[in-house]
């Protein structure tokens, strides 16, 4: 474990947003924006539509929140969280299509694309399938932005090979198993704001979390620079985001000598 020195740190909160479709609304985006640093905006496959994407981009711009693309599987009914078999060439095209759509909206609004973060099943799919991972990483590389994801060995190695920056994530509103691996939303237990605050404190102070079964496990995420994810579609999303913001700000206040900026 790295020694605490004057090396600068970066901790941020990201949130998946714009995940409604047409007249169907998902998540209290307007209330959440004030608590997050980064918005991952759905691009139309698992959720989102052109009008929702434009509206969410403008909302993030208004609050000074950085914007990333949140591409997913072509699975509106399953919210992009069901397993599907997709050929790598198809997934490459789907990733280009989705990120390109959001990038065009951002250009029209005078905002820069900050990153790409795969959604739901695609997030896990690229961890377990090397050919699909390669397809998605190559698609993201075209936009010259980082990708957010789990810093597993295969993900780190492939990002280096392709020349893509990886921003590691730590999750506070879904569970990890006893091996320190992230679990899907459907297999996780509901959280409270108090639990979220505790998870952030435990990870920022010791690099650990409590697994679903109650064991203390190490999390392979660099505490010098990482992003904390909050889901907008889970119950209590605003309360969860509020607790995360308070915990992160307290950590920064208590350790402000290590941060390049403090607000």
């Amino acid at each position: 474990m790295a020694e605490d020195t004057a090396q600068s740190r970066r901790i941020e909160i990201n949130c998946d947003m714009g995940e409604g479709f047409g007249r169907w609304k998902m998540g209290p985006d307007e209330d959440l924006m004030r608590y997050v640093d980064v918005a991952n905006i759905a691009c139309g496959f698992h959720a989102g539509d052109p009008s929702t994407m434009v509206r969410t981009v403008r909302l993030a711009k208004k609050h000074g929140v950085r914007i990333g693309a949140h591409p997913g599987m072509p699975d509106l009914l399953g919210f992009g969280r069901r397993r599907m078999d997709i050929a790598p060439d198809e997934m490459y095209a789907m990733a280009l299509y989705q990120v390109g759509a959001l990038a065009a909206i951002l250009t029209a609004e005078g905002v820069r694309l900050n990153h790409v973060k795969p959604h739901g099943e695609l997030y896990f799919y690229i961890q377990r399938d090397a050919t699909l991972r390669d397809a998605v990483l190559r698609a993201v590389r075209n936009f010259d932005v980082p990708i957010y994801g789990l810093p597993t060995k295969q993900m780190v190695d492939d990002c280096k090979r392709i020349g893509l920056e990886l921003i590691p994530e730590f999750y506070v509103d879904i569970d990890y198993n006893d091996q320190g691996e992230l679990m899907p939303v459907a297999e996780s237990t509901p959280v409270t704001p108090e639990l979220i605050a505790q998870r952030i404190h435990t990870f920022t102070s010791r690099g650990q979390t409590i697994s679903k079964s109650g064991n203390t496990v190490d999390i392979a995420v660099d505490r010098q620079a990482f992003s904390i994810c909050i889901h907008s579609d889970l119950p209590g999303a605003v309360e969860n985001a509020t607790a995360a913001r308070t915990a992160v700000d307290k950590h920064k206040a208590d350790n402000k000598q290590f941060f390049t900026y403090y607000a």
Side-chain angles (χ1 to χ4, degrees), residues 40-176:
N40 316 304
I41 298 181
C43 302
F45 273 38
H46 76 278
D49 59 75
S51 294
T52 299
M53 291 166 72
V54 170
R55 186 166 58 250
T56 310
V57 164
R58 289 174 177 170
L59 180 64
K61 180 180 177 182
K62 175 183 174 182
H63 286 270
V65 171
R66 301 191 303 279
I67 298 169
H70 198 38
M73 308 290 271
D75 180 26
L76 282 173
L77 287 177
F79 198 59
R81 287 182 177 151
R82 297 184 295 188
R83 286 201 175 194
M84 303 175 73
D85 290 325
I86 299 180
D89 287 349
E90 283 187 277
M91 197 66 247
Y92 175 82
M94 289 178 185
L96 281 179
Y97 184 94
Q98 293 179 77
V99 179
L102 184 70
I105 293 170
L106 290 172
T107 297
E109 293 295 321
V111 180
R112 185 180 68 86
L113 179 67
N114 184 71
H115 68 281
V116 175
K117 175 184 170 179
H119 167 80
E121 171 56 19
L122 182 58
Y123 192 87
F124 289 99
Y125 202 166
I126 65 174
Q127 291 290 338
R128 66 176 182 267
D129 189 301
T131 56
L132 201 90
R133 180 171 59 253
D134 179 76
V136 171
L137 296 183
R138 285 188 294 106
V140 174
R141 183 67 185 86
N142 287 291
F143 297 93
D144 197 27
V145 296
I147 189 169
Y148 283 34
L150 299 176
T152 56
K153 183 180 186 305
Q154 64 268 24
M155 187 75 166
V156 170
D157 289 348
D158 281 355
C159 283
K160 286 181 180 177
R161 172 177 58 82
I162 289 173
L164 190 61
E165 182 184 1
L166 173 64
I167 305 295
E169 287 191 287
F170 175 61
Y171 282 76
V172 294
D173 57 5
I174 57 178
D175 289 322
Y176 287 83

